[in-house]
Amino acid sequence: MRRAVAATILLAGALGADRAVAHGGQPQVLRIEFPAQLPGAVWALTDNQGLYARRPDGVVEWLCEDAVAPGAGVRSIGVLGAAGERWLLSTEEGAFFTFDNGCGYHPAPPPLTHQSVRAISVHPTRPHEAVVVTDAFELANDVFRTTDGGWTWTPAGEDARGRFRQLLRAPANPERLWALADVGALTSADGGRTWSPFAVPAEARRPADFTLLGGSPADGDVLFAAVEQFPETLVLRSEDAGARWAQVTTVPDFPLTFVMNQAGRDALLLAPFEGLRRSADGGRTWVAEPTPVERLGCLTRQPGSDRLWGCTQVFFGGPWVLGRSDDFGRTWRGVFERFEAVARWSCPGASRAEGCCDHLCPGEPPAGTCPEQAPSAAPYCDDPLPALPPIGPLPDAGLPEPDAAVVVDGGPADAAPPSDAARPDAGSSDAAPRDAGLDAEGGPDASPDAAPAGDAAPITDAAPRRDARPARDARPPGGRRVDAFVPYDLGFDARAPAPPAATRDDEGCRALPGRGAPAAPALLVVMLLWGARRRRR
C-alpha cells in the first residue's frame, strides 16, 4: 500500500511540474519493438521523446518526436519494404511516412490522411503488407490493410462506432489477427482480408474491460487475455483463438504485461505493484516470485529467441532505461543506462530531423549540459509538411503468397541483414535504414562485425555536426500540420501567424511557447489509488 501511494504522489508531482520542454521531460519507454525488416534492430518508443534505437556497437541514437511535429507523440512505427525503406509512423498528430530513415516526413496517403492510427502490424514475412486500426473521435473507425507498401489501403468496412484500442497478430501464425474496439472485438484468419466478430468473454461487463495479453509462439490458437474487475484482474486462457476461455489466475493489480518463450511452455506476468508471476506449464498455473529489478516494465521477447528485453522507470528508482535477460527474466543487466547517453540521429544538415531535433535535449539532463546548437530551427519546424511524393506502390519482389508456408515467430534470430551491395544509395529517397542492431556484448545473436563492449565507440555524436544550414526559405518544408491533416480539432489554425520563437529554459532545452506543463490528470491518480486499494484487499 505504501509503495502504491508513494508512486501516486511522485507521479502527480512529476506531471504537475510548472514548466515543460517541447519534447517532454522525464521520458518513459512504452514499448520495445523489433522490426522484422531490420534484423537485429532494438527500438524503444517513449511517451514524449520519440524513438531511441540501439545500434550493434552499443550506441543508442535518438530521433525526437518533434521531427514529425512539435510534441507529436509517437505511438508505433511500421517498417515496410524488403529493405525497410518505408516507415509508417502513428502519432498523436496523425499518420506519416518517411522514406529516408526518419529524416523527412510526409502525410500518409488516403484514407489514412485524416485518420488517427492507433496501432500498426506489419506482416513478418511479407514486408509490403500491413494492417492498421484507427481511433479517431470524429470519424468512423475501421481496420485498413495494404499489400503494396502503404501506397493504397483497403478498409474492412466495419465502420466502428467506437474507437479501436488494440491490434494483435499471433506470433505463431501471422495470418491470425485480433482487433479490439470500444464496442466489441474482431478476428481475422486470412491476414486481415476478412474480419468477423468474436464474443468478448462473459466475465467482462463491457468490451473496454477486456484486453488481449498475447499469444503462444508455439501454437497460433493459444491466446491469453485479462478482464479488469474490482478488486482483481482475471487472467484468461483460450485454446481455440478466443472462442472459449478458461480463468487461470487473478492478480490484484493492472495493467498486466505478458510474455512467453518460444516453446510455449514458460511464461511471465508482470504487474506494476504486485510484481512477477511465472508459469512453467503453458500458462495453466502461476506462481508469484520476487521482481528482480525495481520498476521493471514493458517485457518483450526478442523474436526467434528466448531473450527478454525490458525497461525501468529511471526517474522513479529504476536502474536503467533498457535491459535484457538471457535466462527468461530471472536475472537482468542494463544495456542502455540513461536517456542522456545517446548520439544524435544522423541526417543531412538541411533535413527536418536535423533541424528540429539537434537543439532539443534527450532525457532530462542537468542544468547547462545540453548546449545550444541551432536556436533558429524553431520557426523551421512550424512549416507545413511536404505532400506525399509520387513514388508509387512497392512491388512484391517475388515474396511468398498468402497461402505459402508460415514462418513461426518471424524467422530466426540470426537472420543476416541485407548486404550493402543490395541497398540503394544512402543519399536517395529510398535509402535503406541504418543498421540499428542490438548486440555489442557478444551475445548468442551478436553481429559478427560488432565490436566488444570495451571497444565500443564513446556515446557522443556519431557523425560530425552540420552547422552550415541553408537559408530558411531554401529549407525543405516540414513541421506543424495544416488543418486538413488534423484528425480532430486540436485548436490549430494553419492561417494563424507563426508563434513566437522558442526560448530555452535553464537546462538548455527549448521551451514550447505558450505551453506549460499540465496538471496531474485526476483520472490517472484515481486509477493508481484504486490499484493501491486492490493491493490492500
Side-chain angles (χ1 to χ4, degrees), residues 136-142 158-164 181-184:
F137 283 103
E138 296 180 354
L139 299 173
N141 291 293
D142 211 335
E158 296 298 327
D159 290 333
R161 296 186 304 276
R163 299 183 301 155
F164 282 93
D182 291 338
V183 294

Side-chain angles (χ1 to χ4, degrees), residues 471-485:
R472 184 175 187 276
D473 57 0
R475 290 173 178 164
R480 203 166 48 189
R481 305 173 65 199
V482 298
D483 282 344
F485 302 132

Side-chain angles (χ1 to χ4, degrees), residues 307-398:
R307 171 174 288 174
L308 297 185
W309 290 76
C311 65
T312 71
Q313 299 181 34
V314 293
F315 299 105
F316 296 93
W320 30 256
V321 177
L322 287 181
R324 73 181 196 195
S325 171
D326 290 320
D327 55 9
F328 208 70
R330 291 178 174 85
T331 61
W332 292 82
R333 66 189 181 95
V335 296
F336 175 29
E337 303 293 334
R338 303 292 300 176
F339 283 106
E340 297 80 16
V342 296
R344 300 281 176 164
W345 202 259
S346 180
C347 288
S351 71
R352 176 174 177 76
E354 183 80 0
C356 299
C357 293
D358 69 352
H359 60 297
L360 297 177
C361 309
E364 191 171 65
T369 60
C370 184
E372 181 174 333
Q373 296 178 10
S376 63
Y380 162 52
C381 298
D382 291 329
D383 294 339
L385 288 175
L388 195 68
I391 59 174
L394 283 175
D396 63 12

Side-chain angles (χ1 to χ4, degrees), residues 93 382-384 479-486 488-499:
E93 295 290 309
D382 291 329
D383 294 339
R480 203 166 48 189
R481 305 173 65 199
V482 298
D483 282 344
F485 302 132
V486 178
Y488 43 87
D489 184 13
L490 299 174
F492 167 65
D493 184 357
R495 297 177 297 274

Side-chain angles (χ1 to χ4, degrees), residues 140-151:
N141 291 293
D142 211 335
V143 183
F144 297 88
R145 179 172 176 265
T146 181
T147 58
D148 59 7
W151 195 250

